[in-house]
Amino acid sequence: MRKFAISLITILLIGIGAFYGIKTWENQKNDLNQPQKSVQKVSHINLVALGDSLTEGVGDEKNMKGYSGRIAKKIRAQYNVSVTVSNFGKAGDRSDQIKKRLDTQQKFQKRLQKANVIVMTSGGNDLQQLLLKNVLATSPKTLSAAVKAGQQSYQQKLSALIKDIRSYNSDAPIFIFGNYNPLYVHFADRSDFNDDVKLFNNINAQAAKEAGNAYFVSIFNLTYGQFKTTTQREGLIKESANSNSSSNSNAAMTAVLTGQKNVNNAWISTEDNYHPNNKGYNYMTTQLFNKMKKETKQWLIKQ
């Protein structure tokens, strides 16, 4: 009797398994017979780049307008779509000056209205202005305090700029670059400079988070250039400490900030020792493209 019960249970289990197996096969067959939804790309991308000298492409030996020409080339090659780039970068502009140009230039406004993608740089000149104003600070602590005191003003100006951008285009994703420390190779022993840049980068990142459909793109590794390892950087720190102890650091910082001093960073242009060169702009473009690839639904795929 026990054997009979076990056999009966076994038969029932096999029957149930067979039933569900057939149903699963039928469902899969029906799914295959259903028309599949195809993902359609847009045929053309209008990319608007706005900001300061990093958008203008200062230092670019290839004359590709920095990251803007390079990202257009990557998008065309990767996705087989046409791309029009409108570059509204201007060297030296702070965030409030970028906004002023947008408020007063109709061409800028019209191109922005038609954009599928918006890319911007901001903050570098706002921070540089603070550093130059406080170049005679008696200590790194005093200088950092001045930078921290200026962060709220920059935050407000950046928010106003993004709000202005959104008034012309509420849909396109905005990719907001961070900044880097061009002073590093001369002042590797001054960790406060890196901290100041990171402070402003955090403002950019937070602004992107709050804006909605906006994304922060970090390029901080431009700071280090070819000095990629801890050992290399430690050696540079020792060298900088020895050099700066025997010179007027305020004068040296002014020289670097105004492009008067050679900077041995393989990713920085030798023309001004401040802006990215071909390698630097390639790095910026790679960082931007990697971020854009994650958000193709926002700019490449038809909704």
Side-chain angles (χ1 to χ4, degrees):
M1 184 68 181
R2 186 178 178 184
K3 288 183 178 179
F4 174 76
I6 293 173
S7 299
L8 182 60
I9 291 170
T10 303
I11 292 169
L12 286 171
L13 289 173
I14 292 172
I16 292 169
F19 172 77
Y20 280 106
I22 292 169
K23 291 299 291 182
T24 301
W25 178 81
E26 287 179 346
N27 290 337
Q28 290 175 343
K29 183 179 179 182
N30 290 335
D31 289 342
L32 290 172
N33 290 331
Q34 293 294 325
Q36 299 296 310
K37 291 183 179 179
S38 60
V39 176
Q40 290 187 324
K41 298 181 298 184
V42 297
S43 59
H44 183 77
I45 298 294
N46 287 311
L47 187 150
V48 171
L50 61 99
D52 49 34
S53 55
L54 293 182
T55 292
E56 185 178 337
V58 175
D60 180 11
E61 309 103 317
K62 301 291 185 181
N63 295 318
M64 295 179 68
K65 290 285 185 179
Y67 70 80
S68 66
R70 288 167 171 79
I71 194 65
K73 185 177 180 180
K74 272 186 174 289
I75 292 171
R76 292 185 192 107
Q78 181 74 21
Y79 300 111
N80 193 30
V81 295
S82 58
V83 183
T84 297
V85 176
S86 300
N87 189 310
F88 294 97
K90 184 179 178 183
D93 265 12
R94 301 183 308 272
S95 52
D96 57 311
Q97 293 171 315
I98 300 168
K99 181 180 182 298
K100 185 176 181 180
R101 283 194 290 119
L102 176 55
D103 289 339
T104 57
Q105 296 179 9
Q106 288 189 357
K107 182 180 178 181
F108 197 166
Q109 296 165 5
K110 289 179 179 179
R111 294 291 176 86
L112 198 56
Q113 287 171 341
K114 296 179 180 179
N116 305 84
V117 177
I118 301 167
V119 186
M120 62 181 286
T121 56
S122 176
N125 292 308
D126 298 77
L127 176 57
Q128 180 173 310
Q129 184 184 58
L130 280 171
L131 292 173
L132 286 172
K133 278 184 177 180
N134 296 278
V135 72
L136 298 178
T138 55
S139 69
K141 186 177 180 180
T142 304
L143 183 59
S144 290
V147 171
K148 287 179 181 178
Q151 67 177 328
Q152 185 176 1
S153 175
Y154 172 60
Q155 189 173 27
Q156 292 171 347
K157 291 174 182 177
L158 179 60
S159 295
L161 172 58
I162 293 173
K163 184 178 180 180
D164 210 13
I165 291 169
R166 281 298 184 218
S167 72
Y168 293 102
N169 190 317
S170 59
D171 299 323
I174 304 174
F175 296 90
I176 305 174
F177 276 110
N179 288 283
Y180 61 98
N181 174 16
L183 306 177
Y184 176 76
V185 294
H186 278 291
F187 298 95
D189 58 320
R190 291 287 300 270
S191 60
D192 56 303
F193 289 160
N194 278 2
D195 293 339
D196 294 339
V197 174
K198 289 176 181 178
L199 184 67
F200 270 56
N201 282 349
N202 288 340
I203 294 172
N204 284 19
Q206 185 62 30
K209 185 177 180 180
E210 292 175 357
N213 197 19
Y215 310 93
F216 177 71
V217 181
S218 175
I219 56 169
F220 188 76
N221 278 345
L222 265 173
T223 296
Y224 304 117
Q226 71 272 29
F227 300 98
K228 296 181 179 181
T229 68
T230 301
T231 301
Q232 287 175 318
R233 293 173 191 174
E234 286 176 349
L236 195 59
I237 289 170
K238 290 180 181 179
E239 183 181 330
S240 296
N242 292 333
S243 174
N244 294 333
S245 64
S246 60
S247 64
N248 185 330
S249 60
N250 288 331
M253 186 176 77
T254 302
V256 175
L257 281 170
T258 54
Q260 300 171 26
K261 197 170 183 180
N262 290 330
V263 177
N264 185 26
N265 183 328
W267 293 7
I268 299 294
S269 170
T270 55
E271 289 186 7
D272 63 5
N273 304 308
Y274 194 86
H275 292 92
N277 56 18
N278 181 51
K279 286 183 179 179
Y281 280 118
N282 284 344
Y283 167 72
M284 286 184 69
T285 305
T286 297
Q287 292 295 96
L288 173 59
F289 191 59
N290 287 341
K291 186 69 69 171
M292 290 181 69
K293 283 193 296 185
K294 295 178 181 178
E295 308 299 338
T296 52
K297 288 183 179 180
Q298 304 298 333
W299 59 274
L300 182 67
I301 307 303
K302 283 186 177 180
Q303 301 299 318

